[in-house]
Amino acid sequence: METQVYENRELSWLKFNERVMEEANDKATPIGERLSFSSIFSSNLDEFFMVRVGSLHDKMLIDDDDRDGKTNMRPSEQIDAILYRVMELSRMQDKSFEKICSQLENNGVKKVNPEKASKEDKEFIDKFFKHEVSPFLSPFVVNSRQPFPFLSGKTVFIAVGLKTENETMLGIVPTAGVFKRLILLPPTEKHEVRYMLAEDLILSKVHKLFPDYEICSKALARVTRNADIDVNEALFDHELDFRSIMSELIKKRKKLCAVRLQLSAPLDDNSLNTLKKKLDIHKSQIFIQSSPLDMSFTSDLLDILRDKKMVELFYQPHTPQKSIMVNDNLPMISQIDNKDIFLSYPYESIKPFIRLLKEAATDKDVVSIKITLYRVAKNSQVVEALIDAAENGKDVLVLVELRARFDEENNIGWSKRLEQSGVRVIYGPEELKVHSKLLLITRKIGSSIKYTTQIGTGNYNEKTSALYTDVSLMTANENIAKEAAEVFNCLSTDRLVEESRYLLVSPLTLRPAVVRLMDAEIAKAKRGEEAFVGAKLNSLTDKVLIDKLIECSQAGVKVNLVIRGICCLIPQVKGYTDNITVVSIVGRYLEHARFYMFGADEETRKVYISSADFMTRNTIRRVEVAAPIYDKEIKARIIDMFNTMLNDNIKARVLGGDGIYSKRSPNGEEVINAQEVFYREAVEKARLFEDKQSKPSKQGIFRRILNLFTRKRT
């Protein structure tokens, strides 16, 4: 097959991050939110270098002929293409940040350059540096008598070219200390908030730190290190338990090789060559940028602006709404026994799910609670409810995924806390991450057993439930419960689910089931019947499923895909993907929910929600769960949500056959910003439901609520 229908995974991801940068440049987005998008772009790129570029770097050293299965690119070729594209994106970021700072300044928020400060500010700056910063700095010189220091990843330092009569050398000043990075200056009549960064202040005073040298160049610098630790390799050390192995690997990760060096300005040849040699880094891995090397300060700055009630700089506040499917006056389990309950975050609140767990912890009929935890909030109500349940004598089993990237330390801590409270903690199969979002509550009522099962697309995390779009199904369906029980039995006995009829469980039953469902649509199309496949995903990289989607298109199946991030399939390529549409939505919330759909008739369409993307890591290297939606109202609601996203003409970008994403515009049609539509609907449903509860005699309100669920759009 022609490679023109495939896109390289890493280059596709960079296109996604470019869409994030577009949000930072969107004049329709409030300026404070644009600053936030600029920070997200930067942190995304950090993780990309740490994980993806780090992995490619390792592959290149081991076997540079280990080619990408879709585009046939060597690891070294991929790295070269990435570095070239990142150079372009870095220039975009610099221009974007400059415009954002200018507009913020017009709104009373000024970033002060210590070297260009007014006379009054310089007096403040000098005193601040002398008393609050200088005493805590540890500058040093790199020469033949002093070993080169270890430079921690993602930490800003200052590199200084030093000169004496006889030699030139490199000076280094770490900029992290007991002082805060974000330094506020006294406000003025024109600017209510004025700030500078500690590293800029230290850079402006660096000559004071090396009084016996001539400064020939100076720059802020920051190293990004490979973070792609090999858990499976470490597991050969069987003298340690798994939690101890993970603790050791986290320490090791902090010292892996450098994959990027950022500089705020050019350095003299001697200083630059010293850094290149000591970091073992190539010139192509060095990026000079004018925007801050580390954008994490923006969260503190934005909090300050919110505290000062500068509301015009931000989106209008959105509060997750009450779900009309939940009655606050009835126990959650009894409501779920009567009818499946569906929650859509962040438009609806996660509180009903938290209430379910808390009630289960004290319910006399509940005998066991089993759950998989991947990422949880810092002060997790979910974990607290599980601890309460264990302390109340319930049999509580929790699978804690210690390999959840960059959450390892947090999860190690939670696993210890859970164990100390009497919870049975397990870690899952040796070579597979457990990414499923699955809860099973078992009750014994007399001689009968009853179940409550929850399946979700997102983590059990109260914080991210207000920031990410996810969905959650709570059901008393016995068939689903029995297969959920089998998932937990397999996880606790180091086995895999080999057969399933209702749930789709990777790595053995999810992808084959999806292929069978696509084959059924292909068969319909070949018989001349209308056929349809739809999916909402974060990423599409699994070549088996990509090739099956191409086969669908060639057979005449209509394929609609809503994919936020990576998409290794190029649609609208004549003869291959003519019938495939790909839409990406990047907006106020991070799109995170996954839906799979099969069948042209919306009444009989098969609909699943899932924790799994169509990525090889999800379909064959993780334990994931997809659940069927049987409730007609819930199914209609998911289909309506999907159709709304397909028709978004404000935050949607459409992927063309040339591999380029183009932003839609209304062009006189109804304006549809899917995320705003869903929030307005949640508010309206909640308001109408409150009216119905307070005025039960009022006719027609409940029907209006149901209409909102199932409203069709063209």
Side-chain angles (χ1 to χ4, degrees):
M1 186 179 293
E2 298 288 337
T3 57
Q4 63 186 0
V5 295
Y6 301 118
E7 172 71 282
N8 175 264
R9 168 186 170 144
E10 320 308 342
L11 298 181
S12 178
W13 184 90
L14 288 173
K15 289 179 181 180
F16 158 67
N17 213 30
E18 183 178 0
R19 298 195 291 280
V20 174
M21 178 54 61
E22 287 176 1
E23 291 300 301
N25 292 329
D26 190 343
K27 293 179 181 178
T29 301
I31 190 63
E33 307 294 351
R34 288 172 59 188
L35 180 62
S36 180
F37 276 113
S38 183
S39 179
I40 292 168
F41 170 89
S42 183
S43 62
N44 282 351
L45 207 54
D46 283 346
E47 186 170 331
F48 177 71
F49 269 93
M50 292 165 70
V51 179
R52 298 307 307 167
V53 178
S55 174
L56 286 171
H57 184 271
D58 291 344
K59 284 183 179 180
M60 180 181 69
L61 295 178
I62 296 168
D63 179 10
D64 195 35
D65 202 40
D66 183 6
R67 296 173 182 266
D68 170 33
K70 304 174 194 71
T71 57
N72 206 37
M73 295 174 72
R74 299 174 186 271
S76 59
E77 292 172 331
Q78 294 181 69
I79 290 173
D80 288 345
I82 287 166
L83 296 177
Y84 179 80
R85 185 65 185 127
V86 171
M87 287 287 184
E88 296 177 326
L89 292 174
S90 294
R91 287 193 288 270
M92 289 173 58
Q93 183 185 19
D94 288 345
K95 291 178 182 177
S96 174
F97 185 75
E98 185 179 352
K99 290 177 182 177
I100 289 170
C101 284
S102 176
Q103 194 165 342
L104 279 170
E105 192 168 342
N106 293 337
N107 283 271
V109 182
K110 183 175 182 179
K111 184 176 186 289
V112 175
N113 182 340
E115 296 189 348
K116 298 179 181 179
S118 66
K119 183 180 178 181
E120 293 80 4
D121 281 341
K122 282 187 175 178
E123 289 179 6
F124 171 86
I125 289 168
D126 289 344
K127 288 180 181 177
F128 191 91
F129 179 76
K130 181 179 179 180
H131 297 291
E132 303 293 336
V133 178
S134 180
F136 307 106
L137 297 177
S138 301
F140 51 88
V141 175
V142 178
N143 56 32
S144 58
R145 298 175 300 281
Q146 303 291 342
F148 188 78
F150 177 76
L151 300 173
S152 298
K154 300 200 298 179
T155 301
V156 178
F157 63 96
I158 294 173
V160 193
L162 304 173
K163 190 174 183 181
T164 65
E165 289 185 5
N166 301 318
E167 61 180 329
T168 57
M169 62 202 74
L170 172 67
I172 288 179
V173 186
T175 66
V178 297
F179 46 85
K180 291 183 178 180
R181 185 174 172 222
L182 184 69
I183 301 169
L184 295 180
L185 283 75
T188 63
E189 186 177 334
K190 191 174 180 182
H191 297 103
E192 185 176 354
V193 175
R194 299 191 310 139
Y195 71 96
M196 62 182 174
L197 300 179
E199 62 261 33
D200 291 334
L201 170 59
I202 299 166
L203 185 68
S204 72
K205 303 292 184 183
V206 76
H207 57 281
K208 293 180 178 292
L209 304 175
F210 299 97
D212 298 330
Y213 298 88
E214 177 187 343
I215 307 293
C216 52
S217 69
K218 62 179 182 178
L220 301 175
R222 183 172 180 260
V223 176
T224 311
R225 293 187 176 276
N226 182 358
D228 190 42
I229 54 178
D230 190 341
V231 176
N232 293 330
E233 182 180 324
L235 288 173
F236 285 110
D237 184 357
H238 291 294
E239 293 181 8
L240 296 174
D241 63 76
F242 184 50
R243 191 160 62 200
S244 298
I245 289 171
M246 288 306 302
S247 296
E248 290 300 313
L249 281 174
I250 293 164
K251 294 176 186 176
K252 178 183 176 183
R253 180 167 67 192
K254 295 175 181 177
K255 296 185 178 181
L256 294 179
C257 69
V259 291
R260 177 178 60 160
L261 174 64
Q262 296 164 276
L263 296 173
S264 66
L267 288 170
D268 63 278
D269 289 344
N270 177 73
S271 298
L272 187 61
N273 288 334
T274 300
L275 282 172
K276 285 165 58 180
K277 181 179 178 182
K278 297 297 185 181
L279 294 171
D280 190 21
I281 204 164
H282 190 267
K283 182 180 178 181
S284 63
Q285 296 169 280
I286 300 172
F287 298 84
I288 297 175
Q289 60 186 77
S290 59
S291 53
L293 307 186
D294 178 1
M295 292 286 288
S296 62
F297 75 93
T298 58
S299 61
D300 291 334
L301 176 61
L302 294 172
D303 284 345
I304 290 168
L305 302 185
R306 289 187 181 96
D307 289 343
K308 290 185 174 292
K309 310 299 182 187
M310 301 175 78
V311 295
E312 69 280 1
L313 305 183
F314 300 97
Y315 290 127
Q316 272 192 318
H318 281 183
T319 303
Q321 300 292 300
K322 288 183 179 181
S323 168
I324 69 166
M325 301 191 83
V326 177
N327 187 326
D328 291 343
N329 300 316
L330 295 175
M332 286 299 302
I333 288 178
S334 63
Q335 293 184 69
I336 297 165
D337 281 345
N338 290 329
K339 193 178 192 305
D340 287 357
I341 291 177
F342 178 82
L343 299 176
S344 175
Y345 313 140
Y347 315 110
E348 294 169 334
S349 173
I350 195 175
K351 288 180 181 178
F353 172 75
I354 302 294
R355 181 155 73 91
L356 169 65
L357 277 179
K358 289 181 176 179
E359 290 175 1
T362 59
D363 189 324
K364 63 180 178 60
D365 294 328
V366 170
V367 293
S368 76
I369 301 173
K370 299 178 182 181
I371 193 171
T372 58
L373 297 183
Y374 194 76
R375 301 187 199 275
V376 296
K378 188 175 182 181
N379 300 307
S380 174
Q381 295 181 62
V382 171
V383 174
E384 293 298 338
L386 296 169
I387 288 171
D388 288 346
E391 291 177 347
N392 288 333
K394 313 298 182 187
D395 176 23
V396 182
L397 181 143
V398 178
L399 185 142
V400 180
E401 182 48 80
L402 298 187
R403 293 162 289 188
R405 200 183 303 272
F406 304 124
D407 267 335
E408 298 97 341
E409 288 183 273
N410 190 43
N411 287 1
I412 287 171
W414 280 123
S415 70
K416 292 177 180 177
R417 173 96 184 274
L418 286 161
E419 278 186 342
Q420 290 165 0
S421 302
V423 173
R424 186 154 49 103
V425 175
I426 60 173
Y427 304 122
E430 188 171 291
E431 296 185 358
L432 299 171
K433 283 186 182 180
V434 178
H435 189 251
S436 57
K437 323 302 178 189
L438 188 64
L439 165 72
L440 179 64
I441 298 169
T442 304
R443 289 171 292 151
K444 190 171 189 305
I445 304 171
S447 59
S448 64
I449 302 294
K450 289 198 171 184
Y451 302 97
T452 304
T453 311
Q454 183 273 341
I455 306 101
T457 66
N459 296 305
Y460 298 118
N461 187 314
E462 303 93 292
K463 182 177 179 181
T464 56
S465 73
L467 302 171
Y468 298 178
T469 73
D470 274 305
V471 297
S472 170
L473 173 71
M474 293 175 277
T475 181
N477 183 290
E478 191 169 325
N479 292 323
I480 287 176
K482 287 180 178 178
E483 291 198 347
E486 178 62 12
V487 172
F488 282 109
N489 288 339
C490 287
L491 290 175
S492 59
T493 56
D494 203 21
R495 295 181 295 119
L496 299 176
V497 174
E498 296 182 4
E499 293 181 9
S500 59
R501 184 175 175 185
Y502 305 98
L503 297 179
L504 314 183
V505 186
S506 67
L508 299 182
T509 75
L510 190 149
R511 187 165 73 177
V514 170
V515 169
R516 285 196 301 272
L517 289 162
M518 289 190 197
D519 280 336
E521 295 306 303
I522 290 169
K524 288 180 192 175
K526 287 181 176 178
R527 293 196 299 266
E529 300 172 20
E530 197 176 358
F532 172 81
V533 170
K536 180 186 183 298
L537 307 164
N538 297 331
S539 298
L540 171 63
T541 67
D542 186 320
K543 192 170 184 294
V544 170
L545 296 181
I546 288 172
D547 287 345
K548 185 57 66 172
L549 288 168
I550 293 169
E551 188 181 340
C552 284
S553 176
Q554 290 175 319
V557 179
K558 182 180 180 181
V559 179
N560 286 337
L561 305 173
V562 178
I563 304 175
R564 180 196 79 213
I566 302 166
C567 181
C568 293
L569 168 67
I570 298 177
Q572 304 299 305
V573 176
K574 190 173 181 180
Y576 293 101
T577 57
D578 317 59
N579 293 308
I580 300 178
T581 299
V582 176
V583 171
S584 171
I585 293 176
V586 179
R588 174 172 183 162
Y589 300 117
L590 181 77
E591 289 292 337
H592 196 254
R594 292 93 161 181
F595 311 147
Y596 314 154
M597 302 179 180
F598 309 92
D601 183 351
E602 292 187 358
E603 293 292 325
T604 59
R605 181 175 294 174
K606 293 180 179 179
V607 175
Y608 293 80
I609 65 168
S610 179
S611 60
D613 288 305
F614 285 178
M615 303 180 75
T616 308
R617 73 179 188 189
N618 298 102
T619 56
I620 65 171
R621 292 204 297 270
R622 289 183 176 181
V623 176
E624 307 270 13
V625 173
I629 301 297
Y630 295 130
D631 184 280
K632 290 184 178 180
E633 290 175 16
I634 295 175
K635 185 165 77 168
R637 184 177 175 191
I638 292 173
I639 292 171
D640 183 56
M641 291 173 70
F642 186 72
N643 291 339
T644 302
M645 287 183 274
L646 285 174
N647 290 313
D648 187 308
N649 51 26
I650 299 297
K651 294 300 181 182
R653 284 86 168 169
V654 181
L655 179 57
D658 54 4
I660 296 173
Y661 286 85
S662 301
K663 198 166 185 180
R664 280 179 174 161
S665 58
N667 293 326
E669 301 170 342
E670 178 191 359
V671 173
I672 300 175
N673 179 337
Q675 294 184 353
E676 292 298 322
V677 168
F678 299 147
Y679 181 71
R680 287 198 305 270
E681 288 185 354
V683 171
E684 179 69 4
K685 291 171 194 171
R687 184 183 66 78
L688 290 173
F689 194 54
E690 292 267 337
D691 287 349
K692 183 179 185 298
Q693 288 187 317
S694 61
K695 301 174 184 177
S697 61
K698 192 170 183 179
Q699 297 298 313
I701 289 178
F702 195 66
R703 182 171 296 280
R704 287 165 63 194
I705 295 172
L706 292 181
N707 287 341
L708 279 169
F709 266 128
T710 56
R711 177 162 54 89
K712 301 294 187 295
R713 296 180 180 84
T714 58

